[in-house]
Amino acid sequence: MDRVDVVSRFERLRVYARQSVPSPHQPVALLWALGQEERLHRWTKFRDEVGPLLAEFAWRR
């Protein structure tokens, strides 16, 4: 997989939206996961580390 393939896959990602408001946690979760040294993590780890930031800075529904 080269850079073009990776960019193409990112461009095709679909983000869940409710009432036309996109879910902020999905793209943030992907970026967070890419920055981790280990490959797999529990959702609770993401929620504990990033949840407070999303609560403070994400757009409100």
Side-chain angles (χ1 to χ4, degrees):
M1 182 180 301
D2 63 10
R3 182 176 185 243
V4 173
D5 292 332
V6 172
V7 171
S8 175
R9 289 179 185 217
F10 275 110
E11 289 174 341
R12 290 189 310 234
L13 285 176
R14 295 176 136 199
V15 175
Y16 172 80
R18 179 185 287 172
Q19 298 176 351
S20 300
V21 177
S23 178
H25 76 278
Q26 290 177 315
V28 172
L30 177 60
L31 292 173
W32 175 84
L34 289 171
Q36 300 300 302
E37 290 181 20
E38 297 175 22
R39 185 168 179 175
L40 297 174
H41 293 281
R42 295 194 176 276
W43 177 252
T44 53
K45 180 174 177 164
F46 171 78
R47 185 189 63 211
D48 293 345
E49 291 184 9
V50 182
L53 294 171
L54 285 174
E56 184 174 348
F57 296 106
W59 50 93
R60 304 286 184 238
R61 291 184 187 235

Short mmCIF file of all heavy atoms in Angstrom, two decimals:
data_model
loop_
_atom_site.label_atom_id
_atom_site.label_comp_id
_atom_site.label_asym_id
_atom_site.label_seq_id
_atom_site.Cartn_x
_atom_site.Cartn_y
_atom_site.Cartn_z
N MET A 1 0.85 -1.17 0.00
CA MET A 1 0.00 0.00 0.00
C MET A 1 0.90 1.24 0.00
O MET A 1 1.78 1.36 0.84
CB MET A 1 -0.91 -0.02 1.24
CG MET A 1 -1.85 1.13 1.29
SD MET A 1 -2.95 1.16 2.73
CE MET A 1 -3.81 -0.36 2.56
N ASP A 2 0.65 2.12 -0.92
CA ASP A 2 1.46 3.34 -0.99
C ASP A 2 0.65 4.54 -0.50
O ASP A 2 -0.49 4.40 -0.07
CB ASP A 2 2.00 3.57 -2.40
CG ASP A 2 0.89 3.79 -3.44
OD1 ASP A 2 -0.28 3.96 -3.06
OD2 ASP A 2 1.21 3.79 -4.64
N ARG A 3 1.27 5.69 -0.56
CA ARG A 3 0.65 6.92 -0.04
C ARG A 3 -0.68 7.23 -0.73
O ARG A 3 -1.64 7.62 -0.10
CB ARG A 3 1.62 8.08 -0.21
CG ARG A 3 1.10 9.37 0.33
CD ARG A 3 2.14 10.47 0.23
NE ARG A 3 1.65 11.64 0.86
CZ ARG A 3 1.43 12.79 0.23
NH1 ARG A 3 1.70 12.89 -1.05
NH2 ARG A 3 0.96 13.82 0.87
N VAL A 4 -0.73 7.04 -2.04
CA VAL A 4 -1.95 7.33 -2.80
C VAL A 4 -3.09 6.43 -2.33
O VAL A 4 -4.23 6.88 -2.17
CB VAL A 4 -1.69 7.17 -4.31
CG1 VAL A 4 -2.98 7.30 -5.10
CG2 VAL A 4 -0.66 8.19 -4.77
N ASP A 5 -2.79 5.15 -2.09
CA ASP A 5 -3.82 4.22 -1.60
C ASP A 5 -4.34 4.65 -0.23
O ASP A 5 -5.54 4.61 0.02
CB ASP A 5 -3.26 2.80 -1.50
CG ASP A 5 -2.95 2.20 -2.86
OD1 ASP A 5 -3.61 2.59 -3.85
OD2 ASP A 5 -2.05 1.35 -2.92
N VAL A 6 -3.43 5.03 0.65
CA VAL A 6 -3.84 5.45 1.99
C VAL A 6 -4.72 6.68 1.93
O VAL A 6 -5.79 6.74 2.54
CB VAL A 6 -2.60 5.69 2.88
CG1 VAL A 6 -3.01 6.31 4.20
CG2 VAL A 6 -1.83 4.40 3.10
N VAL A 7 -4.31 7.67 1.17
CA VAL A 7 -5.11 8.90 1.04
C VAL A 7 -6.47 8.59 0.43
O VAL A 7 -7.50 9.10 0.89
CB VAL A 7 -4.34 9.96 0.20
CG1 VAL A 7 -5.24 11.13 -0.14
CG2 VAL A 7 -3.10 10.42 0.93
N SER A 8 -6.50 7.73 -0.55
CA SER A 8 -7.76 7.36 -1.19
C SER A 8 -8.71 6.70 -0.19
O SER A 8 -9.91 6.99 -0.16
CB SER A 8 -7.48 6.41 -2.35
OG SER A 8 -8.68 5.94 -2.91
N ARG A 9 -8.18 5.84 0.65
CA ARG A 9 -9.02 5.18 1.65
C ARG A 9 -9.54 6.16 2.70
O ARG A 9 -10.67 6.06 3.15
CB ARG A 9 -8.25 4.04 2.32
CG ARG A 9 -8.06 2.88 1.38
CD ARG A 9 -7.29 1.77 2.01
NE ARG A 9 -7.02 0.75 1.04
CZ ARG A 9 -7.03 -0.54 1.31
NH1 ARG A 9 -7.27 -0.97 2.52
NH2 ARG A 9 -6.76 -1.41 0.37
N PHE A 10 -8.72 7.11 3.09
CA PHE A 10 -9.18 8.13 4.02
C PHE A 10 -10.29 8.97 3.40
O PHE A 10 -11.25 9.34 4.06
CB PHE A 10 -8.03 9.04 4.47
CG PHE A 10 -7.25 8.49 5.63
CD1 PHE A 10 -5.96 8.04 5.45
CD2 PHE A 10 -7.80 8.44 6.89
CE1 PHE A 10 -5.24 7.53 6.52
CE2 PHE A 10 -7.09 7.94 7.96
CZ PHE A 10 -5.80 7.48 7.77
N GLU A 11 -10.15 9.29 2.14
CA GLU A 11 -11.16 10.10 1.47
C GLU A 11 -12.50 9.38 1.37
O GLU A 11 -13.55 10.02 1.32
CB GLU A 11 -10.68 10.50 0.08
CG GLU A 11 -9.56 11.50 0.11
CD GLU A 11 -8.97 11.81 -1.25
OE1 GLU A 11 -9.15 11.01 -2.19
OE2 GLU A 11 -8.31 12.86 -1.37
N ARG A 12 -12.49 8.06 1.35
CA ARG A 12 -13.72 7.29 1.23
C ARG A 12 -14.35 6.95 2.57
O ARG A 12 -15.44 6.35 2.60
CB ARG A 12 -13.44 6.00 0.47
CG ARG A 12 -13.15 6.23 -1.00
CD ARG A 12 -13.10 4.92 -1.73
NE ARG A 12 -12.23 3.97 -1.04
CZ ARG A 12 -11.21 3.33 -1.60
NH1 ARG A 12 -10.94 3.53 -2.86
NH2 ARG A 12 -10.47 2.49 -0.91
N LEU A 13 -13.72 7.30 3.65
CA LEU A 13 -14.30 7.00 4.97
C LEU A 13 -15.64 7.71 5.15
O LEU A 13 -15.80 8.86 4.77
CB LEU A 13 -13.35 7.45 6.08
CG LEU A 13 -12.13 6.60 6.32
CD1 LEU A 13 -11.26 7.24 7.40
CD2 LEU A 13 -12.49 5.19 6.72
N ARG A 14 -16.56 7.00 5.74
CA ARG A 14 -17.87 7.60 6.04
C ARG A 14 -17.96 7.81 7.54
O ARG A 14 -17.65 6.92 8.32
CB ARG A 14 -18.99 6.67 5.59
CG ARG A 14 -19.02 6.50 4.10
CD ARG A 14 -20.08 5.50 3.76
NE ARG A 14 -20.81 6.02 2.61
CZ ARG A 14 -22.00 5.62 2.27
NH1 ARG A 14 -22.61 4.70 2.97
NH2 ARG A 14 -22.59 6.12 1.22
N VAL A 15 -18.39 8.96 7.93
CA VAL A 15 -18.56 9.30 9.34
C VAL A 15 -20.05 9.28 9.66
O VAL A 15 -20.85 9.88 8.94
CB VAL A 15 -17.95 10.68 9.65
CG1 VAL A 15 -18.23 11.08 11.08
CG2 VAL A 15 -16.47 10.68 9.37
N TYR A 16 -20.39 8.59 10.72
CA TYR A 16 -21.78 8.53 11.16
C TYR A 16 -22.28 9.95 11.45
O TYR A 16 -21.56 10.77 12.02
CB TYR A 16 -21.90 7.67 12.42
CG TYR A 16 -23.26 7.71 13.04
CD1 TYR A 16 -24.30 6.94 12.53
CD2 TYR A 16 -23.53 8.52 14.13
CE1 TYR A 16 -25.56 6.98 13.08
CE2 TYR A 16 -24.79 8.57 14.69
CZ TYR A 16 -25.80 7.79 14.17
OH TYR A 16 -27.05 7.85 14.73
N ALA A 17 -23.50 10.23 11.04
CA ALA A 17 -24.10 11.53 11.31
C ALA A 17 -25.55 11.33 11.77
O ALA A 17 -26.26 10.48 11.24
CB ALA A 17 -24.07 12.41 10.08
N ARG A 18 -25.94 12.12 12.73
CA ARG A 18 -27.32 12.14 13.20
C ARG A 18 -27.87 13.52 12.93
O ARG A 18 -27.28 14.51 13.35
CB ARG A 18 -27.39 11.83 14.70
CG ARG A 18 -28.82 11.86 15.22
CD ARG A 18 -28.89 11.67 16.70
NE ARG A 18 -28.59 10.27 17.00
CZ ARG A 18 -28.41 9.80 18.22
NH1 ARG A 18 -28.49 10.61 19.24
NH2 ARG A 18 -28.15 8.53 18.42
N GLN A 19 -28.97 13.58 12.21
CA GLN A 19 -29.60 14.83 11.83
C GLN A 19 -28.58 15.76 11.16
O GLN A 19 -28.47 16.94 11.46
CB GLN A 19 -30.23 15.51 13.04
CG GLN A 19 -31.32 14.68 13.67
CD GLN A 19 -31.88 15.30 14.93
OE1 GLN A 19 -31.35 16.28 15.45
NE2 GLN A 19 -32.95 14.74 15.43
N SER A 20 -27.80 15.19 10.25
CA SER A 20 -26.79 15.90 9.45
C SER A 20 -25.62 16.46 10.26
O SER A 20 -24.84 17.25 9.77
CB SER A 20 -27.43 17.04 8.65
OG SER A 20 -28.40 16.52 7.77
N VAL A 21 -25.50 16.05 11.52
CA VAL A 21 -24.37 16.47 12.36
C VAL A 21 -23.42 15.29 12.48
O VAL A 21 -23.78 14.25 13.04
CB VAL A 21 -24.83 16.92 13.76
CG1 VAL A 21 -23.65 17.30 14.62
CG2 VAL A 21 -25.81 18.08 13.64
N PRO A 22 -22.19 15.41 11.94
CA PRO A 22 -21.26 14.28 12.00
C PRO A 22 -20.79 13.97 13.41
O PRO A 22 -20.69 14.84 14.26
CB PRO A 22 -20.08 14.73 11.13
CG PRO A 22 -20.18 16.20 11.06
CD PRO A 22 -21.62 16.57 11.28
N SER A 23 -20.52 12.71 13.64
CA SER A 23 -20.03 12.25 14.94
C SER A 23 -18.55 12.62 15.07
O SER A 23 -17.74 12.18 14.27
CB SER A 23 -20.21 10.74 15.05
OG SER A 23 -19.70 10.28 16.25
N PRO A 24 -18.18 13.40 16.07
CA PRO A 24 -16.79 13.86 16.17
C PRO A 24 -15.81 12.79 16.62
O PRO A 24 -14.62 12.89 16.34
CB PRO A 24 -16.86 14.98 17.20
CG PRO A 24 -18.02 14.63 18.06
CD PRO A 24 -19.02 13.97 17.14
N HIS A 25 -16.29 11.74 17.28
CA HIS A 25 -15.34 10.78 17.85
C HIS A 25 -14.71 9.86 16.80
O HIS A 25 -13.60 9.39 16.99
CB HIS A 25 -16.01 9.94 18.94
CG HIS A 25 -16.91 8.88 18.44
ND1 HIS A 25 -18.20 9.13 18.06
CD2 HIS A 25 -16.69 7.56 18.22
CE1 HIS A 25 -18.76 8.01 17.64
NE2 HIS A 25 -17.86 7.04 17.72
N GLN A 26 -15.37 9.62 15.68
CA GLN A 26 -14.83 8.66 14.72
C GLN A 26 -13.51 9.11 14.08
O GLN A 26 -12.53 8.36 14.12
CB GLN A 26 -15.87 8.33 13.66
CG GLN A 26 -17.00 7.49 14.22
CD GLN A 26 -18.06 7.23 13.20
OE1 GLN A 26 -18.47 8.12 12.48
NE2 GLN A 26 -18.52 5.99 13.13
N PRO A 27 -13.43 10.30 13.49
CA PRO A 27 -12.14 10.70 12.92
C PRO A 27 -11.07 10.90 13.98
O PRO A 27 -9.89 10.59 13.76
CB PRO A 27 -12.44 12.00 12.18
CG PRO A 27 -13.79 12.42 12.57
CD PRO A 27 -14.48 11.26 13.19
N VAL A 28 -11.46 11.35 15.15
CA VAL A 28 -10.49 11.53 16.24
C VAL A 28 -9.98 10.18 16.70
O VAL A 28 -8.78 10.01 16.96
CB VAL A 28 -11.12 12.33 17.40
CG1 VAL A 28 -10.19 12.36 18.60
CG2 VAL A 28 -11.46 13.74 16.95
N ALA A 29 -10.86 9.19 16.78
CA ALA A 29 -10.45 7.85 17.19
C ALA A 29 -9.45 7.25 16.20
O ALA A 29 -8.47 6.61 16.59
CB ALA A 29 -11.66 6.94 17.33
N LEU A 30 -9.68 7.48 14.93
CA LEU A 30 -8.75 6.98 13.92
C LEU A 30 -7.38 7.62 14.05
O LEU A 30 -6.35 6.93 14.05
CB LEU A 30 -9.32 7.22 12.52
CG LEU A 30 -8.43 6.81 11.36
CD1 LEU A 30 -8.13 5.32 11.41
CD2 LEU A 30 -9.08 7.18 10.05
N LEU A 31 -7.35 8.93 14.19
CA LEU A 31 -6.06 9.62 14.35
C LEU A 31 -5.36 9.18 15.63
O LEU A 31 -4.14 8.98 15.65
CB LEU A 31 -6.27 11.13 14.34
CG LEU A 31 -6.70 11.71 13.01
CD1 LEU A 31 -7.05 13.20 13.18
CD2 LEU A 31 -5.64 11.52 11.95
N TRP A 32 -6.12 9.03 16.71
CA TRP A 32 -5.55 8.57 17.98
C TRP A 32 -4.93 7.19 17.81
O TRP A 32 -3.82 6.94 18.25
CB TRP A 32 -6.64 8.57 19.05
CG TRP A 32 -6.22 8.02 20.36
CD1 TRP A 32 -5.57 8.69 21.36
CD2 TRP A 32 -6.38 6.67 20.83
NE1 TRP A 32 -5.36 7.83 22.43
CE2 TRP A 32 -5.83 6.60 22.12
CE3 TRP A 32 -6.95 5.54 20.28
CZ2 TRP A 32 -5.85 5.42 22.86
CZ3 TRP A 32 -6.96 4.37 21.01
CH2 TRP A 32 -6.41 4.32 22.29
N ALA A 33 -5.66 6.28 17.17
CA ALA A 33 -5.18 4.91 16.98
C ALA A 33 -3.90 4.88 16.15
O ALA A 33 -2.99 4.10 16.43
CB ALA A 33 -6.26 4.06 16.32
N LEU A 34 -3.82 5.71 15.12
CA LEU A 34 -2.62 5.75 14.30
C LEU A 34 -1.40 6.23 15.08
O LEU A 34 -0.27 5.86 14.77
CB LEU A 34 -2.83 6.65 13.08
CG LEU A 34 -3.79 6.12 12.02
CD1 LEU A 34 -4.08 7.19 10.99
CD2 LEU A 34 -3.26 4.86 11.39
N GLY A 35 -1.62 7.01 16.11
CA GLY A 35 -0.53 7.55 16.90
C GLY A 35 -0.08 6.64 18.03
O GLY A 35 0.89 6.95 18.73
N GLN A 36 -0.75 5.51 18.21
CA GLN A 36 -0.40 4.60 19.29
C GLN A 36 0.68 3.62 18.86
O GLN A 36 0.76 3.25 17.69
CB GLN A 36 -1.63 3.81 19.75
CG GLN A 36 -2.76 4.67 20.25
CD GLN A 36 -2.35 5.52 21.44
OE1 GLN A 36 -1.91 4.99 22.46
NE2 GLN A 36 -2.50 6.81 21.33
N GLU A 37 1.52 3.21 19.80
CA GLU A 37 2.57 2.25 19.49
C GLU A 37 2.00 0.84 19.32
O GLU A 37 2.45 0.09 18.46
CB GLU A 37 3.63 2.25 20.58
CG GLU A 37 4.45 3.52 20.60
CD GLU A 37 5.52 3.49 21.66
OE1 GLU A 37 5.88 2.41 22.14
OE2 GLU A 37 6.00 4.58 22.02
N GLU A 38 1.05 0.48 20.15
CA GLU A 38 0.44 -0.84 20.07
C GLU A 38 -0.66 -0.82 19.01
O GLU A 38 -1.22 0.23 18.71
CB GLU A 38 -0.16 -1.23 21.42
CG GLU A 38 0.88 -1.36 22.52
CD GLU A 38 0.24 -1.63 23.86
OE1 GLU A 38 -0.91 -2.11 23.90
OE2 GLU A 38 0.87 -1.33 24.87
N ARG A 39 -0.97 -1.98 18.49
CA ARG A 39 -1.92 -2.04 17.39
C ARG A 39 -3.38 -1.98 17.82
O ARG A 39 -4.19 -1.29 17.22
CB ARG A 39 -1.67 -3.29 16.57
CG ARG A 39 -2.52 -3.35 15.36
CD ARG A 39 -2.08 -4.40 14.43
NE ARG A 39 -2.97 -4.39 13.29
CZ ARG A 39 -2.82 -5.12 12.25
NH1 ARG A 39 -1.80 -5.92 12.17
NH2 ARG A 39 -3.67 -5.07 11.27
N LEU A 40 -3.74 -2.73 18.84
CA LEU A 40 -5.14 -2.80 19.27
C LEU A 40 -5.31 -2.24 20.68
O LEU A 40 -4.47 -2.44 21.54
CB LEU A 40 -5.62 -4.25 19.24
CG LEU A 40 -5.64 -4.92 17.87
CD1 LEU A 40 -6.01 -6.38 18.02
CD2 LEU A 40 -6.60 -4.22 16.94
N HIS A 41 -6.43 -1.56 20.88
CA HIS A 41 -6.73 -0.99 22.19
C HIS A 41 -8.21 -1.17 22.47
O HIS A 41 -9.03 -1.24 21.57
CB HIS A 41 -6.42 0.51 22.24
CG HIS A 41 -4.97 0.82 22.13
ND1 HIS A 41 -4.11 0.70 23.18
CD2 HIS A 41 -4.22 1.21 21.08
CE1 HIS A 41 -2.89 1.02 22.81
NE2 HIS A 41 -2.93 1.33 21.52
N ARG A 42 -8.54 -1.19 23.72
CA ARG A 42 -9.95 -1.22 24.11
C ARG A 42 -10.54 0.17 23.94
O ARG A 42 -9.86 1.18 24.06
CB ARG A 42 -10.09 -1.66 25.57
CG ARG A 42 -9.65 -3.07 25.80
CD ARG A 42 -10.14 -3.54 27.16
NE ARG A 42 -9.81 -4.92 27.38
CZ ARG A 42 -10.54 -5.95 26.93
NH1 ARG A 42 -11.64 -5.71 26.26
NH2 ARG A 42 -10.17 -7.18 27.17
N TRP A 43 -11.84 0.19 23.65
CA TRP A 43 -12.55 1.46 23.50
C TRP A 43 -12.44 2.28 24.78
O TRP A 43 -12.35 3.51 24.74
CB TRP A 43 -14.02 1.18 23.17
CG TRP A 43 -14.83 2.42 23.06
CD1 TRP A 43 -15.77 2.85 23.93
CD2 TRP A 43 -14.75 3.40 22.03
NE1 TRP A 43 -16.28 4.05 23.51
CE2 TRP A 43 -15.67 4.41 22.34
CE3 TRP A 43 -13.98 3.54 20.89
CZ2 TRP A 43 -15.86 5.53 21.54
CZ3 TRP A 43 -14.16 4.65 20.09
CH2 TRP A 43 -15.09 5.63 20.42
N THR A 44 -12.41 1.62 25.93
CA THR A 44 -12.34 2.34 27.20
C THR A 44 -11.05 3.16 27.31
O THR A 44 -11.06 4.23 27.90
CB THR A 44 -12.44 1.38 28.40
OG1 THR A 44 -11.46 0.36 28.27
CG2 THR A 44 -13.82 0.76 28.49
N LYS A 45 -9.96 2.67 26.73
CA LYS A 45 -8.70 3.43 26.76
C LYS A 45 -8.86 4.72 25.97
O LYS A 45 -8.47 5.80 26.42
CB LYS A 45 -7.54 2.60 26.22
CG LYS A 45 -6.25 3.37 26.25
CD LYS A 45 -5.06 2.54 25.85
CE LYS A 45 -3.87 3.48 25.85
NZ LYS A 45 -2.62 2.95 25.84
N PHE A 46 -9.43 4.63 24.77
CA PHE A 46 -9.68 5.83 23.98
C PHE A 46 -10.60 6.79 24.73
O PHE A 46 -10.33 7.98 24.83
CB PHE A 46 -10.30 5.46 22.63
CG PHE A 46 -10.78 6.66 21.86
CD1 PHE A 46 -9.90 7.47 21.18
CD2 PHE A 46 -12.13 6.97 21.82
CE1 PHE A 46 -10.35 8.58 20.48
CE2 PHE A 46 -12.59 8.07 21.12
CZ PHE A 46 -11.70 8.88 20.45
N ARG A 47 -11.70 6.24 25.26
CA ARG A 47 -12.67 7.07 25.97
C ARG A 47 -12.04 7.79 27.15
O ARG A 47 -12.26 8.97 27.36
CB ARG A 47 -13.84 6.21 26.44
CG ARG A 47 -14.96 7.02 27.07
CD ARG A 47 -15.99 6.13 27.72
NE ARG A 47 -15.33 5.40 28.80
CZ ARG A 47 -15.68 4.18 29.19
NH1 ARG A 47 -16.64 3.54 28.60
NH2 ARG A 47 -15.04 3.60 30.18
N ASP A 48 -11.20 7.08 27.91
CA ASP A 48 -10.56 7.68 29.08
C ASP A 48 -9.55 8.75 28.69
O ASP A 48 -9.44 9.78 29.36
CB ASP A 48 -9.87 6.61 29.92
CG ASP A 48 -10.86 5.66 30.58
OD1 ASP A 48 -12.08 5.97 30.62
OD2 ASP A 48 -10.42 4.59 31.04
N GLU A 49 -8.80 8.51 27.61
CA GLU A 49 -7.76 9.47 27.21
C GLU A 49 -8.30 10.65 26.40
O GLU A 49 -7.83 11.77 26.55
CB GLU A 49 -6.68 8.75 26.40
CG GLU A 49 -5.86 7.79 27.22
CD GLU A 49 -4.72 7.17 26.44
OE1 GLU A 49 -4.45 7.59 25.30
OE2 GLU A 49 -4.09 6.24 27.00
N VAL A 50 -9.27 10.40 25.54
CA VAL A 50 -9.72 11.43 24.61
C VAL A 50 -11.10 11.97 24.95
O VAL A 50 -11.44 13.09 24.59
CB VAL A 50 -9.68 10.89 23.16
CG1 VAL A 50 -10.09 11.93 22.16
CG2 VAL A 50 -8.29 10.36 22.82
N GLY A 51 -11.87 11.19 25.68
CA GLY A 51 -13.24 11.60 26.02
C GLY A 51 -13.36 12.98 26.63
O GLY A 51 -14.20 13.77 26.21
N PRO A 52 -12.52 13.32 27.62
CA PRO A 52 -12.61 14.66 28.19
C PRO A 52 -12.37 15.78 27.16
O PRO A 52 -13.01 16.82 27.22
CB PRO A 52 -11.54 14.66 29.27
CG PRO A 52 -11.38 13.22 29.65
CD PRO A 52 -11.59 12.46 28.37
N LEU A 53 -11.46 15.54 26.23
CA LEU A 53 -11.20 16.55 25.19
C LEU A 53 -12.40 16.70 24.26
O LEU A 53 -12.77 17.81 23.88
CB LEU A 53 -9.96 16.18 24.38
CG LEU A 53 -8.64 16.20 25.14
CD1 LEU A 53 -7.53 15.61 24.29
CD2 LEU A 53 -8.30 17.62 25.55
N LEU A 54 -13.00 15.57 23.89
CA LEU A 54 -14.17 15.63 23.03
C LEU A 54 -15.32 16.35 23.74
O LEU A 54 -16.03 17.15 23.14
CB LEU A 54 -14.62 14.23 22.62
CG LEU A 54 -13.77 13.55 21.57
CD1 LEU A 54 -14.24 12.12 21.36
CD2 LEU A 54 -13.78 14.31 20.27
N ALA A 55 -15.48 16.06 25.02
CA ALA A 55 -16.55 16.71 25.79
C ALA A 55 -16.34 18.21 25.84
O ALA A 55 -17.31 18.98 25.78
CB ALA A 55 -16.61 16.12 27.20
N GLU A 56 -15.09 18.64 25.93
CA GLU A 56 -14.81 20.07 26.06
C GLU A 56 -14.80 20.79 24.71
O GLU A 56 -15.32 21.90 24.59
CB GLU A 56 -13.46 20.27 26.74
CG GLU A 56 -13.14 21.73 27.00
CD GLU A 56 -11.87 21.91 27.80
OE1 GLU A 56 -11.34 20.92 28.35
OE2 GLU A 56 -11.42 23.06 27.89
N PHE A 57 -14.23 20.15 23.67
CA PHE A 57 -13.99 20.88 22.43
C PHE A 57 -14.86 20.46 21.24
O PHE A 57 -14.90 21.17 20.24
CB PHE A 57 -12.52 20.74 22.01
CG PHE A 57 -11.58 21.39 23.00
CD1 PHE A 57 -10.82 20.60 23.84
CD2 PHE A 57 -11.50 22.76 23.10
CE1 PHE A 57 -9.95 21.18 24.76
CE2 PHE A 57 -10.65 23.35 24.01
CZ PHE A 57 -9.87 22.56 24.84
N ALA A 58 -15.53 19.31 21.30
CA ALA A 58 -16.34 18.87 20.17
C ALA A 58 -17.61 19.70 20.09
O ALA A 58 -18.09 20.24 21.08
CB ALA A 58 -16.69 17.40 20.33
N TRP A 59 -18.14 19.79 18.87
CA TRP A 59 -19.37 20.53 18.68
C TRP A 59 -20.51 19.82 19.38
O TRP A 59 -20.52 18.61 19.53
CB TRP A 59 -19.66 20.74 17.20
CG TRP A 59 -19.60 19.51 16.36
CD1 TRP A 59 -20.62 18.69 16.04
CD2 TRP A 59 -18.44 18.96 15.74
NE1 TRP A 59 -20.19 17.65 15.27
CE2 TRP A 59 -18.85 17.79 15.05
CE3 TRP A 59 -17.09 19.32 15.68
CZ2 TRP A 59 -17.98 17.00 14.33
CZ3 TRP A 59 -16.23 18.52 14.95
CH2 TRP A 59 -16.66 17.38 14.30
N ARG A 60 -21.46 20.57 19.82
CA ARG A 60 -22.60 20.03 20.58
C ARG A 60 -23.69 19.57 19.63
O ARG A 60 -23.92 20.17 18.60
CB ARG A 60 -23.18 21.08 21.52
CG ARG A 60 -22.16 21.67 22.48
CD ARG A 60 -21.81 20.69 23.58
NE ARG A 60 -20.92 21.29 24.53
CZ ARG A 60 -19.73 20.81 24.82
NH1 ARG A 60 -19.28 19.76 24.24
NH2 ARG A 60 -18.95 21.40 25.71
N ARG A 61 -24.39 18.55 20.04
CA ARG A 61 -25.53 18.06 19.24
C ARG A 61 -26.80 18.72 19.69
O ARG A 61 -26.99 19.13 20.74
CB ARG A 61 -25.66 16.56 19.40
CG ARG A 61 -24.52 15.84 18.77
CD ARG A 61 -24.77 14.36 18.89
NE ARG A 61 -23.60 13.69 18.43
CZ ARG A 61 -23.59 12.79 17.48
NH1 ARG A 61 -24.69 12.46 16.90
NH2 ARG A 61 -22.49 12.22 17.11
#
